[in-house]
Amino acid sequence: MAATKRKPISKKLRFEVFKRDSFKCQYCGKCAPDVILEVDHIDPVANGGDNDVMNLITSCVDCNAGKSDRLLSDDSVVAKQRQQLAELNERREQLEMMLKWRDGLKAIDETSLAAIQDAWGEAVPGFHLNDSGLRQARTHLKKYGLAAILDAIGTAGAQYIKTDSDGKVTRESAGLAWEKVAGILRMSQQPDYMRDLFYARGILRNRISYCDERHCIELMKDAVARGVQVEAIKDLARSVRNWTEFKNEIADLSWD
């Protein structure tokens, strides 16, 4: 009987077998690079064994040479191989699920961006978000969520949009309104009393010639921490004549 012709094992198939077997000889447990690895046939080619991945196993040179063309009588290697293949298949299926999940998130993001674009068109008639605006919208979406952005657009549109003599929205006010969306979103994450403090700072800023805005907020936050009511801070902002007077007066405010 003529000997079965050995078909070469491709580099790709050899690599897949090595990966499946963790680059470890399945007979003695030695790993590369401590030993040279080969791909061995569980059912020898001489007995009709083929190059199916189920019939291939990682072996070091010494084990492969010692095994010769004897068929393994112990089925533990085959069982281990089948378990590894099952694990590989499970990982593949999980990867496919992750890819579908990612694609689903992309679809949700695109739908959300379309909703933001529509909301902006309603708040600012005649204008739409350009590529730069959409990139900013994506960033806002990840950080704040769709509902907060839609609310911020409505607020910005109501507060900052101006029209010309023809009733058309001015380009300057449209640009300003979009810039303010980011600040409105940041404010939405602040405690409720912070909104009142920013309002009080606005009163102060509009009444006196100079106001250290950052220091002003810190002074008001310190006052709130001492138990001072926000309304008292607003009243102070309405009454002082300059920045120095405000600094001195807010330091003397107390909860009573």
Side-chain angles (χ1 to χ4, degrees):
M1 181 177 178
T4 303
K5 185 177 180 181
R6 179 184 293 269
K7 294 181 179 180
I9 299 173
S10 68
K11 290 182 178 180
K12 180 179 179 181
L13 180 56
R14 181 182 296 110
F15 184 58
E16 289 301 319
V17 174
F18 287 166
K19 284 197 301 181
R20 183 199 65 201
D21 295 340
S22 302
F23 291 87
K24 178 187 296 185
C25 175
Q26 299 301 294
Y27 301 120
C28 69
K30 294 180 181 178
C31 301
D34 296 335
V35 293
I36 296 176
L37 298 177
E38 296 179 343
V39 173
D40 186 22
H41 290 81
I42 297 173
D43 188 2
V45 174
N47 292 349
D50 57 20
N51 287 349
D52 183 87
V53 69
M54 287 293 293
N55 191 47
L56 299 176
I57 194 169
T58 300
S59 171
C60 67
V61 171
D62 291 341
C63 287
N64 196 20
K67 175 177 169 292
S68 185
D69 61 352
R70 288 178 286 107
L71 177 64
L72 289 175
S73 58
D74 186 356
D75 66 355
S76 60
V77 172
V78 176
K80 181 177 182 180
Q81 188 180 55
R82 286 174 177 164
Q83 179 183 355
Q84 290 171 331
L85 286 173
E87 291 173 354
L88 285 173
N89 187 60
E90 177 64 23
R91 287 199 292 269
R92 177 186 60 78
E93 291 179 352
Q94 290 182 11
L95 178 59
E96 290 176 352
M97 287 189 288
M98 288 179 64
L99 293 175
K100 290 180 180 178
W101 176 71
R102 183 196 63 181
D103 292 341
L105 289 181
K106 287 182 178 179
I108 292 173
D109 282 349
E110 292 305 317
T111 301
S112 297
L113 285 174
I116 292 171
Q117 187 74 275
D118 290 343
W120 183 248
E122 292 178 7
V124 191
F127 288 84
H128 68 277
L129 297 177
N130 57 21
D131 289 343
S132 175
L134 287 173
R135 285 195 295 272
Q136 292 173 350
R138 288 181 189 274
T139 300
H140 294 333
L141 196 57
K142 292 179 181 178
K143 189 171 183 179
Y144 301 105
L146 179 60
I149 296 174
L150 298 182
D151 287 343
I153 287 175
T155 301
Q159 293 184 0
Y160 299 102
I161 291 301
K162 296 180 179 180
T163 57
D164 58 22
S165 57
D166 296 327
K168 294 181 179 179
V169 174
T170 64
R171 184 172 296 277
E172 292 75 13
S173 68
L176 177 62
W178 179 249
E179 290 177 4
K180 294 296 183 180
V181 166
I184 294 170
L185 286 169
R186 286 194 295 271
M187 281 293 298
S188 70
Q189 304 297 303
Q190 297 281 355
D192 290 341
Y193 74 85
M194 285 299 298
R195 302 180 190 181
D196 290 328
L197 296 188
F198 281 112
Y199 177 75
R201 185 183 67 178
I203 295 174
L204 189 65
R205 183 174 53 197
N206 291 331
R207 290 191 59 255
I208 63 178
S209 59
Y210 170 78
C211 174
D212 185 332
E213 297 188 10
R214 178 171 295 181
H215 190 197
C216 177
I217 288 295
E218 293 303 319
L219 289 172
M220 290 190 289
K221 286 170 63 177
D222 288 343
V224 170
R226 297 197 307 271
V228 175
Q229 297 297 312
V230 172
E231 288 303 318
I233 296 174
K234 290 181 182 179
D235 290 341
L236 179 64
R238 295 187 185 102
S239 64
V240 296
R241 291 165 294 182
N242 54 57
W243 171 241
T244 300
E245 184 178 352
F246 176 79
K247 287 194 298 180
N248 293 335
E249 291 290 336
I250 197 169
D252 292 336
L253 285 179
S254 61
W255 64 271
D256 57 356

